[in-house]
Amino acid sequence: MLSLLRDSIRLNVRNGTKYINPLPITHYPMKQLTLISRAALHGNRTAIISREGEFTYRQLLERSAKAAACLLEGKDELQEARVAFLVPSGFDYVATQWGVWRAGGIAVPLCVSHPPPELAYVIDDAQATIIVCHPKFASKLQPIAKTRGVRFISTKHLYDATETVLPQVDPQRRAMMIYTSGTTGKPKGVVITHNNIEAQVMSLISAWEWTSEDHILLMLPLHHIHGIINVLTCALWAGAICQMRHKFDAYEVWDRFIADNLTLFMAVPTIYVKLIATWKAASPNQRKVMSDACSKLRMMVSGSAALPVSVLEKWKKISGHILLERYGMTEIGMGLSNPFHGKRVPGHVGTPLPGVEARLVDEEGNVTSGDEPGEIQIKGPGVFLEYWQRVDATQNAFCDGWFCTGDMAVIENGTYRIFGRKSTDIIKTGGYKVSGLEIKEVLHTHSAIEECAVVGVKDSIWGECVAVALVLAPGTELTLEQLRNWGKQRLAIYKVPSKMITVKELPRNAMGKVIKPEVVKLMSATD
């Protein structure tokens, strides 16, 4: 199968203005999920390295089977019950995730940095009936579980159950729900099936030539498609080693580059910016050791946000690697990529990955010539099933079977170059996609804020930073520090504004709508 996938890469064709990479990904009838059956083939090979130790594929299968038995609690299967889990990056995270899948449930990963109101929103929206939590986060989730009458399981007791016969899970079933912000405000649950996961993983295994000899370092958030699919699931599908760390630390990444036999590294542009800064701060001798260490890796990837060409060039000088840029999103997995072999074009995101179809469409719904800007639309077996309990939003997201990404691009010399988004309400900061409307709703609950406009402002480290223009209530004052301290109690840290101005009134058009570009100009004028 894998050889067929690799051969299919050579079949890339251009059909007018629609690029197609024709990969036949067949969904075989299975009694056991392919990810699980493949893990059995790797037995005593190392699967996970984390702060807790080293764990084999056999141990992962054993622990996840016990986790599944605990979740089932005597039932035949979970029948797609939503299981929300808050577990830091490491072996317990994977055993929990696999346990949910093996029990026939839908995994709903929660973000370890989110405050209780955001965690409660996801749990409520997903209608989770079980919450799994690491002890260090129990104070956040136990009160939520108690007030809602939701079953609460600590990872301390997740493996206490006696193994039992586990259900057969149809690969067409829902597997995971990842929450992502959109233009409608509150995050939506993106529902991904087991078949979707298989298609996404097989596409990347083929394009990036994963093997069981690979060893990757994971420092990305695990409530996000980048970390879950591109790194963790691809590694475990291939029988490779995934080294997992709880959070990003530039010095630790460099230590791992030097000390370990890593072959792959994937990160967001912000991480590369910080790695560059750490390299610059080192002594000449240390720099040489750091640079030499990068030569051991066979590929380094950047994604989740636009990679500034200046960062690509700096990293090339430091590491010798031309970062491989790709394009994807929660709803589609990965859609476009620069080649593993061949020329990578700075500022471009390449061509469709195996199994993916892509096209550009103008505002009238016509497929463009490619030279003209258009919205990227994607089709393929990796595209998500639905937005959870949002029928209208799901229907509106598709056009004749194509998923409408909202990202605008052109095709130059055969490769896609993204230059903006249709919606000005989406801000990409540090690899996260956040909704300005959602932040605005929260800010409006502050007693000192009468009106506000939330925008993204270009930032050399974060890509964009969240900025806000405020009209304060008469007789009130508010500093950025005060706003941030207040916001951290209600929003994920990456959604809290890092820049603020106060104005007498917001710029509006004749219809009374706030003119976002004018707000951005006001923010820039204060630099």
Side-chain angles (χ1 to χ4, degrees), residues 110-407:
L110 301 172
C111 177
V112 295
S113 65
H114 280 187
E118 294 222 20
L119 297 173
Y121 168 77
V122 172
I123 290 167
D124 289 341
D125 188 77
Q127 298 173 316
T129 57
I130 303 174
I131 295 174
V132 178
C133 180
H134 188 278
K136 70 184 291 186
F137 301 119
S139 60
K140 278 187 175 184
L141 286 189
Q142 269 186 321
I144 295 173
K146 185 176 181 180
T147 58
R148 288 156 176 78
V150 174
R151 183 183 172 203
F152 182 88
I153 305 172
S154 170
T155 52
K156 286 196 303 183
H157 306 297
L158 189 61
Y159 315 120
D160 291 348
T162 302
E163 288 189 36
T164 186
V165 176
L166 299 180
Q168 297 178 4
V169 180
D170 190 317
Q172 297 182 65
R173 292 264 296 267
R174 297 170 178 86
M176 184 164 57
M177 196 184 306
I178 299 177
Y179 275 77
T180 183
S181 294
T183 57
T184 54
K186 286 290 187 180
K188 299 187 290 290
V190 176
V191 178
I192 302 167
T193 68
H194 291 286
N195 272 343
N196 292 152
I197 291 173
E198 179 174 348
Q200 292 176 14
V201 170
M202 289 301 287
S203 179
L204 296 181
I205 293 279
S206 171
W208 296 344
E209 300 187 6
W210 279 86
T211 75
S212 60
E213 299 304 312
D214 277 315
H215 182 172
I216 192 165
L217 178 64
L218 171 57
M219 291 229 177
L220 295 166
L222 283 173
H223 66 293
H224 192 281
I225 197 83
H226 193 168
I228 296 174
I229 298 296
N230 297 21
V231 181
L232 179 61
T233 310
C234 277
L236 297 179
W237 187 285
I241 298 173
C242 186
Q243 185 171 168
M244 306 174 74
R245 297 298 177 185
H246 288 184
K247 61 181 181 179
F248 168 73
D249 178 88
Y251 292 98
E252 185 172 14
V253 171
W254 278 115
D255 285 344
R256 299 280 63 79
F257 284 169
I258 294 166
D260 300 331
N261 295 317
L262 299 176
T263 63
L264 293 166
F265 185 65
M266 301 182 190
V268 298
T270 302
I271 285 179
Y272 287 107
V273 169
K274 293 184 177 182
L275 291 175
I276 290 169
T278 305
W279 183 89
K280 287 182 176 178
S283 69
N285 287 340
Q286 289 173 324
R287 288 181 183 178
K288 185 178 187 309
V289 172
M290 295 159 82
S291 293
D292 289 346
C294 292
S295 64
K296 297 184 298 183
L297 280 75
R298 69 178 183 84
M299 184 174 70
M300 291 182 158
V301 180
S302 178
S304 294
L307 176 69
V309 174
S310 60
V311 174
L312 182 146
E313 291 174 345
K314 289 175 184 176
W315 188 252
K316 181 182 177 183
K317 289 180 181 178
I318 288 172
S319 69
H321 283 270
I322 299 175
L323 290 173
L324 186 150
E325 277 197 88
R326 85 302 180 280
Y327 166 80
M329 59 198 311
T330 307
E331 288 89 343
I332 65 169
M334 298 303 107
L336 309 170
S337 175
N338 274 281
F340 175 58
H341 299 292
K343 185 178 180 181
R344 300 172 191 170
V345 183
H348 291 233
V349 292
T351 57
L353 282 158
V356 176
E357 297 180 53
R359 68 181 187 181
L360 297 181
V361 176
D362 64 21
E363 292 183 359
E364 284 71 43
N366 301 313
V367 178
T368 75
S369 64
D371 298 330
E372 297 295 323
E375 179 189 22
I376 300 174
Q377 295 186 353
I378 297 290
K379 182 188 288 188
V383 176
F384 77 124
L385 177 67
E386 63 190 351
Y387 290 118
W388 178 249
Q389 295 194 330
R390 287 172 169 82
V391 176
D392 289 345
T394 302
Q395 291 177 345
N396 293 336
F398 289 87
C399 177
D400 298 327
W402 293 81
F403 175 69
C404 307
T405 67
D407 287 315

Side-chain angles (χ1 to χ4, degrees), residues 223 451 485:
H223 66 293
E451 291 184 293
N485 289 336

Side-chain angles (χ1 to χ4, degrees), residues 43-78:
N44 292 322
R45 289 179 62 90
T46 299
I48 302 294
I49 298 175
S50 63
R51 294 189 185 279
E52 296 80 16
E54 293 192 18
F55 302 87
T56 66
Y57 281 88
R58 189 182 307 281
Q59 289 173 307
L60 178 54
L61 288 171
E62 291 171 353
R63 293 279 187 93
S64 63
K66 288 187 175 182
C70 177
L71 293 167
L72 286 168
E73 201 179 29
K75 300 184 182 72
D76 290 335
E77 67 150 293
L78 290 183

Side-chain angles (χ1 to χ4, degrees), residues 40 85 92 139 186 213 251 336 345 406 408 419 427 464 484:
F85 62 102
D92 283 337
S139 60
K186 286 290 187 180
E213 299 304 312
Y251 292 98
L336 309 170
V345 183
M408 303 294 289
F419 62 87
I427 301 165
E464 287 184 311
R484 286 182 58 78

